[in-house]
Amino acid sequence: MEEPERLQKQKELVECIGRLHEKDGFQPVTARIMGLLMVMDKEEYTFDEIVQEMKISKSSASTALKNLEIRGVIEYVTYPGDRKRYFRFVSGDINEMIDGIEKKMKLQLDVIEQALELKKNPDSRNAKFLENVKEGIHFFIKNMRKLKAEYSKEH
Amino acid sequence: MEEPERLQKQKELVECIGRLHEKDGFQPVTARIMGLLMVMDKEEYTFDEIVQEMKISKSSASTALKNLEIRGVIEYVTYPGDRKRYFRFVSGDINEMIDGIEKKMKLQLDVIEQALELKKNPDSRNAKFLENVKEGIHFFIKNMRKLKAEYSKEH
DNA sequence: AGGTTGGTTCTCTATGTTGCGAACTAAAAA
DNA sequence: TTTTTAGTTCGCAACATAGAGAACCAACCT
């Protein structure tokens, strides 16, 4: 693939990643910066390079970068004798990804358990449904932990 | 637990479920209706009952119920000689839940594969990270399918 | 035919969100 | 000491969104 074409496609992918992560509650600009640091060949950007690349104001960049750092999506490094921060993507480790899923499932589970406890009739349609889902979630959480351990061992 | 206390707690849980599902892209009112149909002892509500219970306008109720139906969260039944619709929760089946997770993972995977293909240097920091995550996702998708099959057999 | 019931659709307003500009700060350089 | 660099913070304007209201419609009732 020709250089300019690849660059173009990378930028399209950044946009695409941006849209994807907006659905996870990131703001548009923030989500696109994530993409930038993930797909471009240049893998460390300074504050000003991000401002220029994304054509955003310094304030937007500042807010976005702070958010991404707090959320653990990016980090920055510095080099001796250089006051600039070099921002880079923090690898989305697979275990964290699974932990994230587990956390969400537990949240769901908690809600389901509360709902069940508050049901007057434990044989009602919904109560039975909820009981089923509860069991299922338990099963999957238990086995996902196993999978995680198994995968860690393999690598 | 006393009746009014349970009712109170159920309503709090509805609110809590509402907040939870807002993060999944449901609108506030819509998310709370989900909760209502999930936790209350009364498990079938008519349109007007929902309007009264949630203190919302007919238009909001109409829009919310339509969305929930399209998304497969609720359904309605009718009874002969009664023009009203009786809305109720559709059980969040565990397999669907897993499918949902798989779908999200595949979306991520697709993005990662695109990003990898567009990398100039496949040994760069990010490229290696992405490669790792890619492998991990493959592993988990494969095994989640097994788990799903296993669970289906058991039940 | 006219009214009632059970909703739907359209438009508008109030409320939130996003990202900008400008003013600010802290550290380094001149 | 003053200037420059590298950002941060605050207030605001532009834009997006949710939900209300009112008009509407289709089926049934009288």
Side-chain angles (χ1 to χ4, degrees):
Chain A
M1 203 186 299
E2 297 302 312
E3 276 305 287
E5 192 193 344
R6 209 184 62 245
L7 201 74
Q8 182 54 32
K9 291 208 172 178
Q10 283 176 329
K11 292 197 175 178
E12 278 166 25
L13 189 56
V14 168
E15 171 61 21
C16 171
I17 290 173
R19 285 189 314 255
L20 202 73
H21 286 272
E22 271 186 75
K23 286 170 196 151
D24 280 14
F26 289 93
Q27 303 164 252
V29 165
T30 309
R32 277 150 190 84
I33 293 177
M34 277 176 74
L36 187 80
L37 296 183
M38 187 171 156
V39 316
M40 302 311 277
D41 290 313
K42 179 175 177 60
E43 298 185 338
E44 285 186 357
Y45 282 79
T46 66
F47 187 92
D48 273 317
E49 283 167 348
I50 288 169
V51 164
Q52 283 165 43
E53 192 65 42
M54 308 304 287
K55 287 165 189 147
I56 57 177
S57 65
K58 285 205 296 170
S59 63
S60 303
S62 178
T63 315
L65 291 170
K66 195 182 8 176
N67 279 335
L68 286 172
E69 221 204 313
I70 288 169
R71 293 233 216 170
V73 177
I74 64 165
E75 63 191 1
Y76 66 84
V77 284
T78 55
Y79 296 100
D82 185 348
R83 209 145 60 88
K84 290 191 199 71
R85 295 172 190 174
Y86 290 81
F87 294 93
R88 65 185 192 191
F89 189 62
V90 172
S91 162
D93 173 271
I94 188 70
N95 276 317
E96 280 168 38
M97 205 164 157
I98 303 305
D99 288 346
I101 293 171
E102 197 181 315
K103 206 172 140 196
K104 269 198 183 177
M105 278 189 152
K106 274 190 188 156
L107 236 81
Q108 271 282 122
L109 192 59
D110 185 48
V111 165
I112 287 169
E113 281 171 351
Q114 280 184 63
L116 273 170
E117 270 173 45
L118 293 171
K119 284 281 182 192
K120 189 189 279 184
N121 174 12
D123 292 326
S124 70
R125 199 187 95 104
N126 281 2
K128 280 190 208 153
F129 282 164
L130 293 176
E131 198 64 59
N132 257 342
V133 176
K134 184 180 144 181
E135 259 186 60
I137 294 181
H138 273 304
F139 176 85
F140 274 93
I141 287 183
K142 196 180 67 194
N143 285 286
M144 281 218 307
R145 291 215 183 112
K146 269 193 220 160
L147 282 186
K148 237 174 64 181
E150 197 183 317
Y151 188 77
S152 294
K153 219 180 280 173
E154 279 182 33
H155 294 258
Chain B
M1 205 187 296
E2 297 302 312
E3 277 305 288
E5 193 194 342
R6 210 185 62 245
L7 200 74
Q8 182 52 31
K9 291 207 171 175
Q10 283 177 328
K11 292 197 175 176
E12 279 165 24
L13 189 56
V14 168
E15 170 62 20
C16 172
I17 290 172
R19 286 188 315 254
L20 202 73
H21 286 272
E22 270 185 76
K23 286 170 196 153
D24 279 14
F26 288 94
Q27 305 164 256
V29 165
T30 309
R32 278 149 190 84
I33 293 177
M34 279 176 73
L36 188 79
L37 297 183
M38 187 172 156
V39 315
M40 302 311 276
D41 291 313
K42 179 175 178 60
E43 297 185 339
E44 285 186 356
Y45 282 79
T46 67
F47 187 92
D48 274 317
E49 283 167 347
I50 288 169
V51 164
Q52 283 165 42
E53 192 65 42
M54 308 304 286
K55 286 165 190 149
I56 55 176
S57 66
K58 286 206 294 173
S59 65
S60 302
S62 179
T63 315
L65 291 170
K66 194 181 10 176
N67 278 335
L68 286 172
E69 221 204 312
I70 288 168
R71 293 233 216 171
V73 178
I74 64 165
E75 63 190 2
Y76 66 84
V77 284
T78 54
Y79 297 100
D82 185 349
R83 210 144 60 88
K84 290 188 199 75
R85 293 173 191 174
Y86 291 81
F87 294 93
R88 66 186 193 190
F89 189 64
V90 173
S91 161
D93 173 270
I94 188 72
N95 275 318
E96 281 167 38
M97 206 164 155
I98 303 305
D99 288 346
I101 293 171
E102 197 181 315
K103 206 173 139 196
K104 270 199 182 175
M105 277 188 152
K106 274 189 188 157
L107 236 83
Q108 271 281 122
L109 192 60
D110 185 49
V111 165
I112 287 169
E113 280 171 350
Q114 280 184 64
L116 273 170
E117 270 173 45
L118 293 171
K119 285 281 182 192
K120 188 189 281 184
N121 174 12
D123 292 325
S124 71
R125 199 188 96 105
N126 282 1
K128 280 190 208 155
F129 282 164
L130 292 176
E131 198 62 62
N132 257 342
V133 176
K134 184 180 144 181
E135 260 187 59
I137 293 180
H138 273 303
F139 176 83
F140 274 93
I141 287 182
K142 196 180 66 194
N143 285 285
M144 283 219 304
R145 291 216 182 109
K146 269 193 220 161
L147 282 186
K148 235 173 65 180
E150 197 182 317
Y151 189 77
S152 296
K153 220 180 280 174
E154 278 182 33
H155 293 259

